[in-house]
Amino acid sequence: MRKILHADCDCFFAAVEMRDNPALTELPLAIGGSPERRGVIATCNYPARVFGIHSAMPTARALRLCPHLTLLPGNFEKYREVSQQIQAIFHELTPLVEPLSLDEAFLDVSQVEGFSGSATWMARWLKEECLARTGITLSVGVAPNKFLAKIASDWEKPNGLTVITPERMEDFLQALPVKKLHGVGPATGARLDAMGIATCEALREVPLERLVEAFGKFGKRLFELARGIDERPVRLERERKSISVESTFAQDLPDLASCRQALAPLCQKLMERIARHGHPPLAGIVVKVRFDDFSVTTLESRGLAPSPESFSRLLEQAWERGRRPVRLIGVGARLLPELHRRQLTLPIE
Ligand SMILES: [Mg+2]
């Protein structure tokens, strides 16, 4: 059995701002883009969440929900610095660290000999060290695999520590809502709901063939996850080359106008993801289109900053190549290679 930790800072960007200005602690606070530029919320603190504000929400909407919200543009240079300090603490425990974003990582501690080999003690140590050295609280999940560790870190947030031992895994899984499973988004969640499947216990009663029939390749994944099977290894950091999001539509989009409509929520999601990575310097944008005949076309534009307008122009050119109904649209931003970052940067908004 492996021992995997998932460590995740609590409302990271907001936590850094509150640390540096404690007067903000009790106020509803969000880090996000300006409403005039159709910005979105990257992070908000817990007092802001009381108003229903959450990350990825358009800033304009957040301000309607809470007109006295303190909105900060964010100091990503500072967040990157704190992130490096936290990642360094992770590396003191094990070299097997896979960062997922500035404030989140998987750690494989199966081979760690300290702490009598207790992953629970290691998790406690991480939380204490992180708070003592950076002033930021972590939530940590401990489990035999990645997907359960990630669910566990979210279980008792903020400042949580949830341990799913191999013995506890069975009970935990049975009661686990399927919507918590890795890869189950709103669309799959709704379909499982329609099939009367709410928990992993119910999901286990569905034969593999039926799941594959209903969900394709993901059906097999669902079958495994319901049984706590997730063999994905913790991968060491590679240099990230791009950040992207894509969506396969429940029904093919018949024309360019409907593709344009589908673009706005995708762009919003992308901007949120770029913020989660600390607004790294960008080199250009990419649009991917898969048509109903499964042909794929990808268009890239170097030097363009991501904006709904630039994506819309690129999407039009991509669509012209097929002029057919569209199954999937993806939007992404290319990152500037680490080496060139000092020489050229693009404004992101
Ligand atoms: Mg976090």
Side-chain angles (χ1 to χ4, degrees):
M1 271 290 189
R2 293 185 297 160
K3 295 173 204 162
I4 309 293
L5 307 186
H6 179 259
D8 185 16
C9 300
D10 303 319
C11 53
F12 181 53
F13 302 158
V16 174
E17 298 299 344
M18 291 189 290
R19 176 196 72 177
D20 294 350
N21 181 2
L24 295 172
T25 308
E26 304 296 322
L27 306 175
L29 166 72
I31 316 305
S34 77
E36 291 81 26
R37 304 176 76 173
R38 287 194 274 178
V40 295
I41 300 298
T43 315
C44 64
N45 67 357
Y46 285 85
R49 288 179 201 193
V50 173
F51 291 87
I53 299 171
H54 55 77
S55 61
M57 175 182 279
T59 303
R61 171 125 201 274
L63 286 168
R64 279 199 299 275
L65 289 173
C66 175
H68 59 290
L69 178 71
T70 301
L71 179 71
L72 298 175
N75 179 343
F76 292 93
E77 207 48 58
K78 183 162 77 178
Y79 307 151
R80 263 196 290 272
E81 242 168 64
V82 181
S83 169
Q84 275 164 14
Q85 283 176 284
I86 294 171
Q87 299 282 344
I89 299 170
F90 295 164
H91 278 272
E92 286 179 32
L93 189 59
T94 171
L96 296 177
V97 178
E98 176 180 339
L100 299 176
S101 66
L102 280 189
D103 73 320
E104 207 185 319
F106 283 116
L107 292 79
D108 186 332
V109 297
S110 311
Q111 307 298 326
V112 174
E113 285 171 358
F115 303 92
S116 306
S118 161
T120 307
W121 289 4
M122 297 178 210
R124 266 194 209 126
W125 179 83
L126 277 186
K127 285 165 61 70
E128 285 165 15
E129 288 304 305
C130 188
L131 185 61
R133 294 195 222 169
T134 71
I136 301 295
T137 60
L138 274 183
S139 289
V140 184
V142 183
N145 61 44
K146 279 169 121 175
F147 96 93
L148 282 173
K150 190 160 164 104
I151 291 171
S153 74
D154 197 45
W155 210 249
E156 293 167 278
K157 234 176 188 321
N159 201 9
L161 170 56
T162 301
V163 182
I164 305 174
T165 56
E167 300 77 45
R168 197 187 157 201
M169 191 164 94
E170 200 41 45
D171 286 344
F172 187 87
L173 273 172
Q174 295 226 351
L176 187 69
V178 284
K179 281 173 187 162
K180 293 264 182 189
L181 290 176
H182 182 76
V184 176
T188 310
R191 288 178 65 195
L192 285 165
D193 227 26
M195 292 166 77
I197 301 166
T199 62
C200 285
E201 191 179 19
L203 182 55
R204 283 188 193 184
E205 283 166 23
V206 187
L208 175 61
E209 304 76 51
R210 176 129 182 264
L211 287 175
V212 171
E213 201 181 294
F215 299 100
K217 230 169 121 186
F218 189 61
K220 178 157 182 273
R221 184 87 181 124
L222 281 172
F223 183 87
E224 291 172 350
L225 291 178
R227 287 160 181 76
I229 301 167
D230 176 19
E231 303 294 342
R232 288 174 302 151
V234 169
R235 292 179 197 282
L236 302 185
E237 185 173 17
R238 301 142 288 171
E239 194 184 340
R240 184 176 268 280
K241 295 200 170 71
S242 64
I243 297 173
S244 58
V245 296
E246 58 179 47
S247 181
T248 302
F249 305 107
Q251 264 154 14
D252 292 346
L253 305 179
D255 51 23
L256 180 59
S258 49
C259 289
R260 280 214 175 102
Q261 255 173 28
L263 197 58
L266 275 171
C267 288
Q268 210 168 79
K269 222 165 141 189
L270 177 68
M271 296 315 277
E272 188 224 349
R273 202 162 286 184
I274 291 172
R276 280 177 63 84
H277 283 87
H279 287 297
L282 304 177
I285 63 169
V286 192
V287 165
K288 174 170 126 184
V289 173
R290 173 173 284 142
F291 294 102
D292 65 339
D293 62 352
F294 282 87
S295 62
V296 179
T297 186
T298 308
L299 253 176
E300 187 163 346
S301 181
R302 294 258 151 199
L304 269 188
S307 69
E309 294 72 27
S310 55
F311 277 118
S312 179
R313 278 202 301 276
L314 217 54
L315 174 70
E316 183 173 344
Q317 292 172 40
W319 185 82
E320 284 292 339
R321 290 176 168 180
R323 294 184 146 268
R324 335 174 32 99
V326 167
R327 272 183 71 84
L328 170 152
I329 298 178
V331 295
R334 289 258 181 250
L335 305 193
L336 213 56
E338 205 73 63
L339 266 177
H340 306 301
R341 288 204 180 167
R342 264 183 236 121
Q343 294 157 23
L344 165 78
T345 55
L346 271 176
I348 142 122
E349 280 189 313

